[in-house]
């Protein structure tokens, strides 16, 4: 009995070792694979490669003999083409920020044969591109080109419904974008819709970024340093007071609490600061203005 | 803000004591498991909660007390905390702990706050003990009001103001105790409303009433997800005491009043709101937050969820030059695969390629949603199917604002076959309500899906080849984000794309 148990133990140990080795090897494989992909992409996108490939293509056209062209040229050319297309798409995404693509709705009962127009909004904030937002539109109405939002990934604080109502109405007497405008009727306008939507998304992220940078400016996210050589902390907290980050709440160490309202363009239009002895009009006046300058203007007043 | 204002309306204070001998106290405490009960007691003994959860203490020891006292009172909070920490370390029965609370350390009574905490603890321990219904807070436009910029914003939730306004909506002969709590793991604020039918807000209200005052059906929960225009209300349909029809209807009206109070409490002058049903209810708060929360996933359910989720490798970053390797595209060329579900099951079971293909199909339809272990399952999904049984003439005068899809031609027959496989798996009932309208024969078929995670179950069926993944209608993937709906022409009717 004991020998069997021992054996199984030994087997277990060996098995565990093997499994570890396999896992590490697989890790290595995936790392190498991703590295290869990166290298492929880099090589394929480089200028030198492009020139070489162009020559190759020309020789392919000219040559009448099959053997002049390397046999693996075709996959290479396709790969290069795909890579270039991908690069171009990335370029449009990064610079144009609104890009479209086609989706097939997998639902067999989907309207319009499952054709869905996907629109992607790329937003960069604080130097990084964040997860894109998507809006998917379809044409649910027969014999009409009217669009309707099918799915989307916009959070509720982006007023999508409001814009849809305004720019993509689907009620009676509405004409499609391609159609001529009927007198007195409304017309869908996808371009205006996307512009308004993107503006809202970007504005939201800008507000969030400003609040973040304000927090950094007043060192609110750092652990309070005990050294004492820092200037005394004046602001206790700065945060967005609502989902849209259109209201900013500022708390002072001495108990003053302020709330300011930011408009669509990033201007602080209203501000109320309540201290122990009523409103502090001086700081209120300082806060009103561009949202980015709040920190500077506050500091001027403080120090 | 109602026109009437009665100055005596005020909430029950949190520190209001309920006699420890009250059966409701025992019941509430006994519902908890021993570990949660002990950690709850330690919370009560925390310095911060001192005001509303103070235990029975005797200064300078218990000399004058009789020696018969089973649980001699402690002299300080620290001492008591030690005793309870000891209890936590030791093994023992729950009963002892409850007895100690009732007869010993809180013999004077349990405060309403403590009861609320105990109830909350129970809710956390048993997340599916309440059925939640999601309601949307929508702007109530007055007549002739142009669409202004205010319409865009989602209502702001300020707990203190909300409670004050809600209190104003409560009728004066009813007293309520409110307790707000932050959900431990979800971006939610939970409000527990506990209603006592009494015009007084003193101990008189609690002591003198009969036992039914503390019926659990008088407790409502409202959850406020962050950054979201929705609220979830708990539906207390379970009546614990049978045969009390009068009190039940009372509770119903109380519930109704509370519900009506919610939008009013949200409203401000010149900014009115109302509640709208969203056809979504579930026991699982995680599922609700996913479908009716403040994130991106509200209108991207099922397979569309891949657009809303994080890509770890950064493949959706426009600065990534790597050509994306398609994950799921190009399923192997399907050569001779018999697509009828029964055929799959019988002849090709165990065939790796078929299994793999079915997995791919499921991945395509469900994306990364509807996994059995994602904890976002809803337990009930009801649909009523009103599809054409035989498509005699593609309906022209359809009252639905969709017109029929082009492929409707032979579609219903095919779906019928698919549905029959579900018959085997799931319960199905036919109303027998047959109306032969001008547009054709549309029998009403109600289908209820029940289970711990309905859509994960359907996904499993697809992967097992019982449900044909490619011809399965979209509502079976849960992409509409509803738990109740009417299916017409293969789509959830009245579902405006994305809840817009």
């Amino acid at each position: 009995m004991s020998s069997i148990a021992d054996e199984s133990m030994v087997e277990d140990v060996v098995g565990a070792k093997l499994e570890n080795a396999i896992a590490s090897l697989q890790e290595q494989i995936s790392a190498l694979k991703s590295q290869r992909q990166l290298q492929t992409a880099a090589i394929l996108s480089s200028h030198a490669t492009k020139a070489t490939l162009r020559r190759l293509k020309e020789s392919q056209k000219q040559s009448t003999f099959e053997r002049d062209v390397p046999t693996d040229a075709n996959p290479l050319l396709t790969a290069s083409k795909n890579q270039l297309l991908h690069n171009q798409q990335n370029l449009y995404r990064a610079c144009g920020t609104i890009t479209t693509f086609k989706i097939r709705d997998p639902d067999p009962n989907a309207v319009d044969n499952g054709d869905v127009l996907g629109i992607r909004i790329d937003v960069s904030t604080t130097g990084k591109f964040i997860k894109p937002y998507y809006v998917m539109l379809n044409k649910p109405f027969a014999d009409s080109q009217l669009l309707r939002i099918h799915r989307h990934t916009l959070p509720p604080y982006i007023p999508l419904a409001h814009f849809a109502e305004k720019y993509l109405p689907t009620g009676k007497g509405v004409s499609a974008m391609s159609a001529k405008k009927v007198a007195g009727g409304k017309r869908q306008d996808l371009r205006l819709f996307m512009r308004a939507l993107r503006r809202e998304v970007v504005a939201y992220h800008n507000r969030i970024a400003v609040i973040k940078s304000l927090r950094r400016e007043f060192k609110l996210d750092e652990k309070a340093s005990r050294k004492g050589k820092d200037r005394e902390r004046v602001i206790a907290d700065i945060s967005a007071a609502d989902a849209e980050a259109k209201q900013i709440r500022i708390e002072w160490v001495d108990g003053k609490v302020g709330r300011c309202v930011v408009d669509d363009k990033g201007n602080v239009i209203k501000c109320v600061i309540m201290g122990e002895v009523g409103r502090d009009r001086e700081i209120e006046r300082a806060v009103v203005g561009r949202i980015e300058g709040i920190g500077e203007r506050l500091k001027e007043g403080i120090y | 803000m109602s026109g009437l204002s009665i100055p005596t309306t005020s909430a029950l204070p949190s520190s209001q004591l309920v006699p420890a001998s009250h059966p409701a106290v025992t019941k509430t405490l006994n519902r908890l498991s021993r570990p949660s009960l002990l950690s709850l007691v330690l919370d009560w003994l925390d310095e911060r909660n001192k005001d509303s959860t103070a235990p029975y203490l005797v200064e300078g020891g218990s000399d004058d007390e009789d020696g018969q006292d089973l649980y001699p009172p402690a002299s300080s909070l620290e001492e008591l905390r030690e005793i309870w920490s000891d209890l936590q370390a030791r093994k023992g029965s729950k009963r002892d702990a409850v007895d100690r609370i009732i007869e010993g350390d809180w013999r004077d009574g349990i405060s309403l706050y403590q009861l609320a905490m105990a109830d909350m603890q129970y809710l956390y321990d048993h997340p599916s003990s309440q059925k939640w219904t999601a309601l949307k807070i929508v702007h109530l436009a007055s007549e002739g009001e142009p669409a202004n910029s205010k319409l865009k914003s989602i209502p702001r939730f300020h707990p203190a103001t909300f409670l004050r306004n809600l209190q104003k909506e409560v009728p004066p002969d009813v007293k309520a105790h409110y307790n707000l709590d932050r959900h431990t793991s979800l971006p939610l604020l939970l409000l527990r409303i506990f209603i006592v039918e009494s015009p007084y807000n003193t101990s008189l209200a609690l002591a003198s009433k009969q036992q039914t005052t503390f019926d659990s059906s008088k407790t409502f929960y409202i959850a406020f997800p962050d950054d979201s225009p929705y609220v979830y209300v708990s539906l207390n349909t379970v009546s614990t005491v049978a045969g009390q029809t009068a009190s039940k209807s009372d509770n119903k009206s109380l519930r109704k009043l509370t519900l009506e109070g919610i939008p009013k409490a949200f409203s401000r002058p010149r900014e009115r709101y109302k509640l709208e049903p969203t056809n979504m209810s579930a026991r699982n708060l995680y599922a609700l937050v996913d479908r009716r929360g403040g994130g991106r996933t509200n209108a991207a359910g099922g397979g569309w969820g891949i657009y809303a989720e994080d890509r770890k490798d950064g493949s959706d970053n426009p600065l990534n030059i790597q050509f994306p390797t398609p994950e799921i595209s190009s399923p192997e060329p399907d050569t001779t695969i018999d697509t009828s579900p029964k055929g799959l099951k019988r002849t090709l079971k165990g065939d790796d390629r078929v299994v793999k293909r079915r997995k791919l199909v499921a991945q395509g339809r469900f994306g990364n949603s509807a996994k059995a272990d994602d904890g976002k399952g809803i337990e009930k999904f009801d649909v009523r199917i009103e599809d054409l049984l035989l498509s005699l003439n593609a309906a022209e005068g359809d009252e639905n604002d969709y017109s029929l899809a082009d492929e409707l031609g032979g579609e219903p027959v095919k779906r019928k076959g698919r549905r029959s496989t579900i018959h085997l798996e799931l319960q199905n009932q036919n109303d027998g309500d047959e109306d032969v309208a001008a547009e054709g024969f549309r029998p009403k078929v109600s289908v209820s899906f029940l289970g711990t995670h309905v859509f994960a179950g359907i996904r499993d069926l697809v992967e097992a080849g019982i449900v044909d993944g490619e011809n399965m209608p979209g509502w079976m993937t849960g992409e509409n984000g509803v738990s109740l709906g009417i299916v017409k022409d293969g789509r959830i009717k009245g579902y405006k794309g994305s809840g817009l």
Side-chain angles (χ1 to χ4, degrees):
Chain A
M1 281 301 278
S2 70
S3 68
I4 293 169
D6 278 354
E7 247 171 53
S8 71
M9 272 240 300
V10 169
E11 266 173 27
D12 272 358
V13 170
V14 172
K17 262 189 189 170
L18 275 176
E19 257 162 42
N20 274 346
I22 290 169
S24 79
L25 279 176
Q26 261 161 357
E27 228 167 78
Q28 222 174 331
I29 289 171
S30 64
L32 284 172
K33 265 188 185 161
S34 72
Q35 210 176 348
R36 189 186 66 178
Q37 265 184 6
L38 190 66
Q39 299 288 7
T40 317
I43 291 170
L44 280 175
S45 332
S46 82
H47 262 295
T49 323
K50 263 189 230 166
T52 320
L53 284 174
R54 206 176 303 126
R55 275 204 301 280
L56 184 67
K57 235 184 255 175
E58 274 159 21
S59 73
Q60 206 174 16
K61 271 183 206 154
Q62 286 164 6
S63 75
T64 44
F65 306 105
E66 287 286 316
R67 58 191 158 78
D68 285 359
V69 187
T71 45
D72 57 350
N74 276 329
L76 182 63
L77 284 174
T78 5
S80 147
K81 204 173 132 205
N82 285 342
Q83 180 67 45
L84 290 178
L85 280 177
H86 178 69
N87 288 355
Q88 193 186 32
Q89 193 193 28
N90 275 352
L91 202 62
Y92 274 106
R93 282 180 61 187
C95 304
T97 68
I98 296 179
T99 42
T100 57
F101 54 102
K102 268 187 180 171
I103 314 175
R104 264 209 76 75
D105 196 333
D107 187 350
N109 304 315
V111 289
D112 195 24
N113 287 328
D115 281 342
V116 176
L117 173 70
I119 304 183
R120 186 195 295 114
I121 308 178
D122 280 291
V123 187
S124 75
T125 172
T126 55
K128 256 185 251 153
F129 276 100
I130 57 159
K131 197 164 60 167
Y133 293 94
Y134 295 93
V135 181
M136 286 71 141
L137 300 135
N138 59 5
K139 291 177 185 163
F141 310 100
D143 7 294
S144 152
Q145 295 292 300
L146 288 181
L147 292 163
R148 173 135 103 177
I149 296 174
H150 183 45
R151 305 270 184 253
H152 66 86
T153 68
L154 288 148
Y157 44 77
I158 305 292
L160 184 68
H162 171 77
F163 292 134
E165 208 174 294
K166 197 167 170 189
Y167 298 112
L168 298 176
T170 50
K172 255 194 177 163
V174 177
S175 50
M177 245 207 347
S178 50
K180 275 202 177 133
K181 193 177 161 115
V182 189
K186 286 181 188 163
R187 193 166 72 151
Q188 290 200 335
D189 197 329
L190 186 61
R191 211 168 295 148
L192 283 182
F193 170 74
M194 286 316 290
R195 191 184 285 178
L197 196 60
R198 180 184 170 277
R199 193 184 145 83
E200 193 67 33
V201 170
V202 172
Y204 167 77
H205 282 288
N206 285 348
R207 287 194 296 269
I208 293 288
V210 166
I211 292 170
K212 253 188 209 162
S213 77
L214 280 178
R215 291 184 67 87
R216 211 172 319 129
E217 212 171 318
F218 289 101
K219 300 190 170 58
L220 295 177
D221 291 324
E222 294 164 24
K223 291 262 158 66
S225 57
R226 294 268 170 267
K227 284 172 192 165
K229 65 181 176 185
D230 288 325
R231 276 186 287 199
E232 209 181 309
R233 200 186 256 199
V234 183
I235 306 279
D237 192 27
I238 298 178
S239 59
D242 61 347
E244 292 113 326
K246 279 192 177 166
Q247 296 201 358
I248 305 176
R249 181 189 163 83
I250 308 173
E251 276 175 61
W252 277 262
V253 170
D254 61 2
K256 278 199 296 265
V257 178
R259 185 68 89 90
C260 46
V261 179
V262 187
D263 70 354
D264 287 340
K265 292 179 182 130
N267 295 313
V268 179
I269 44 173
K270 286 180 204 159
C271 179
V272 173
I273 294 162
M274 291 297 284
E276 272 175 24
V277 286
R279 284 172 68 167
D280 192 332
R281 310 241 174 213
E282 200 180 324
I283 305 185
E284 278 176 23
R285 272 195 295 280
V287 170
V288 173
R290 277 304 294 173
I291 183 172
E292 295 90 348
I294 291 178
E296 221 164 87
R297 294 197 297 274
L298 277 181
K299 276 185 177 165
E300 268 172 29
I302 294 164
Y303 306 120
Chain B
M1 277 141 236
S2 68
L4 281 172
S5 90
I6 287 102
T8 50
T9 49
S10 65
L12 288 165
S14 278
S15 53
Q16 185 60 56
L17 291 183
V18 179
S21 56
H22 203 291
V25 173
T26 334
K27 206 175 124 199
T28 311
L29 294 178
N30 268 323
R31 287 204 300 177
L32 296 172
S33 67
R34 188 173 183 271
S36 11
L37 189 65
L38 291 179
S39 73
L40 187 69
V41 168
L42 287 174
D43 272 350
W44 290 349
L45 294 174
D46 197 281
E47 204 66 49
R48 282 167 297 173
N49 292 333
K50 204 171 56 180
D51 292 339
S52 42
T53 63
Y56 179 72
L57 298 175
V58 170
E59 293 291 326
S62 54
D63 337 307
D64 51 336
E65 292 289 314
D66 56 327
Q68 304 281 310
D69 201 341
L70 204 57
Y71 305 105
S75 60
S76 72
L77 267 182
E78 285 77 41
E79 193 191 328
L80 206 52
R81 230 171 304 183
E82 246 168 57
I83 295 175
W84 281 98
S85 306
D86 273 0
L87 274 179
Q88 203 170 25
R90 263 189 290 141
K91 272 188 182 153
S93 76
K94 182 171 81 179
R95 202 169 170 75
D96 290 345
V98 173
D99 282 351
R100 195 184 162 93
I101 293 171
I102 292 172
E103 287 164 25
D105 297 329
W106 280 274
R107 64 186 76 177
D108 284 350
I110 306 272
S111 72
L112 283 176
Y113 182 57
Q114 281 170 296
L115 277 185
M117 278 172 89
D119 255 5
M120 285 312 226
Q121 186 62 44
Y122 181 77
L123 189 65
Y124 293 139
D125 291 347
H126 305 87
S128 54
S129 62
Q130 295 286 336
K131 189 173 171 87
W132 302 89
T133 303
L135 297 169
K136 189 174 189 190
I137 311 160
V138 288
H139 197 270
L140 190 65
S142 57
E143 285 164 47
E145 189 187 324
N148 55 5
S149 66
K150 266 201 174 154
L151 215 148
K152 299 195 294 184
S153 63
I154 61 180
R156 235 157 255 137
F157 176 62
H158 186 255
T161 318
F162 180 83
L163 283 187
R164 209 181 53 220
N165 291 342
L166 191 61
Q167 177 57 40
K168 282 184 189 155
E169 298 299 325
V170 173
D173 60 340
V174 159
K175 289 288 152 293
H177 173 246
Y178 306 101
N179 183 47
L180 269 169
D181 199 15
R182 187 93 199 151
H183 194 279
T184 41
S185 52
L186 282 169
L188 279 180
L189 211 56
L190 282 168
L191 172 64
R192 175 184 178 274
I193 305 177
F194 171 67
I195 292 169
V196 177
E197 281 177 77
S198 162
Y200 315 109
N201 71 341
T202 53
S203 56
L204 205 62
L206 301 167
S208 64
K209 278 282 173 175
Q210 68 276 35
Q211 299 167 11
T212 47
T213 320
F214 285 109
D215 197 339
S216 66
S217 57
K218 292 233 165 66
T219 318
F220 307 124
Y221 295 92
I222 308 174
F224 302 93
D226 291 356
D227 303 348
S228 159
Y230 299 98
V231 288
Y232 317 145
V233 291
S234 75
L235 269 176
N236 270 82
T237 45
V238 199
S239 57
T240 42
V241 191
Q244 283 189 320
T245 43
S247 128
K248 237 167 86 184
S249 66
D250 275 0
N251 293 338
K252 249 189 193 159
S253 65
L254 280 180
R255 201 184 96 81
K256 210 171 138 231
L257 282 172
T258 320
L259 268 182
E260 280 170 2
I262 296 172
K264 289 175 189 159
F266 261 110
S267 298
R268 289 185 298 182
R270 314 190 61 191
E271 204 177 325
R272 301 275 162 201
Y273 295 103
K274 62 176 176 182
L275 290 181
E276 261 183 11
T278 63
N279 285 352
M280 179 73 180
S281 57
R283 287 187 175 276
N284 189 343
L285 273 177
Y286 287 86
L288 276 178
V289 167
D290 198 42
R291 316 299 305 141
R292 297 278 185 279
R296 295 177 177 219
T297 47
N298 285 357
W304 301 93
I306 53 166
Y307 291 106
E309 65 199 21
D310 279 313
R311 309 255 176 101
K312 298 246 162 26
D313 52 352
S315 61
D316 57 358
N317 190 326
L319 298 182
N320 183 4
I321 63 160
Q322 288 181 38
F323 187 68
T325 41
E327 299 156 48
I328 16 171
S329 70
S330 71
E332 319 82 302
D334 69 354
T335 44
T336 54
I337 297 174
D338 181 8
T339 39
S340 90
K342 277 195 177 152
L344 275 180
K345 207 173 167 188
R346 204 170 44 231
T347 58
L348 294 162
K349 203 174 181 185
D351 189 338
D352 272 356
R353 263 182 46 204
V354 178
V355 171
K356 203 176 161 196
R357 188 181 149 68
R358 286 201 294 245
K359 285 227 156 120
L360 283 177
V361 168
Q363 176 73 22
R365 293 306 299 275
F366 291 94
N368 295 325
S369 72
K371 297 266 174 78
D373 52 356
D374 63 0
K376 288 175 185 164
I378 65 169
E379 75 290 338
K380 193 158 190 252
F381 177 49
D382 288 313
V383 284
R384 203 171 77 199
I385 302 171
E386 297 184 354
D387 282 347
L388 270 180
L389 187 62
L390 295 164
S391 58
L392 299 173
N393 44 353
E396 279 294 308
D398 198 355
E399 76 269 24
N400 192 358
D401 45 353
Y402 293 112
S403 290
L404 297 180
D406 304 356
E407 75 250 53
L408 195 77
E411 187 69 1
V413 183
K414 209 161 66 188
R415 249 181 287 124
K416 191 73 188 153
R418 195 260 322 134
R419 216 183 293 143
S420 70
T421 59
I422 298 179
H423 277 242
L424 300 171
E425 297 294 321
L426 299 154
Q427 91 178 64
N428 183 349
Q429 40 184 332
N430 195 333
D431 304 21
D433 196 75
E434 301 169 356
D435 77 277
V436 185
E439 50 181 353
F441 178 49
R442 286 182 184 268
K444 285 177 184 145
V445 182
S446 298
V447 184
S448 294
F449 299 83
L450 299 169
T452 46
H453 192 328
V454 166
F455 294 114
I458 297 177
R459 187 185 181 133
D460 281 351
L461 290 180
V462 170
E463 283 177 5
I466 296 166
V467 173
D468 182 354
E470 278 163 277
N471 290 322
M472 176 180 71
W475 50 264
M476 279 177 73
T477 65
E479 61 182 46
N480 299 74
V482 290
S483 63
L484 184 83
I486 294 171
V487 172
K488 207 161 192 185
D489 308 326
R491 297 180 298 272
I492 296 260
K493 184 181 154 192
Y495 180 73
K496 310 253 173 15
S498 49
L500 295 179

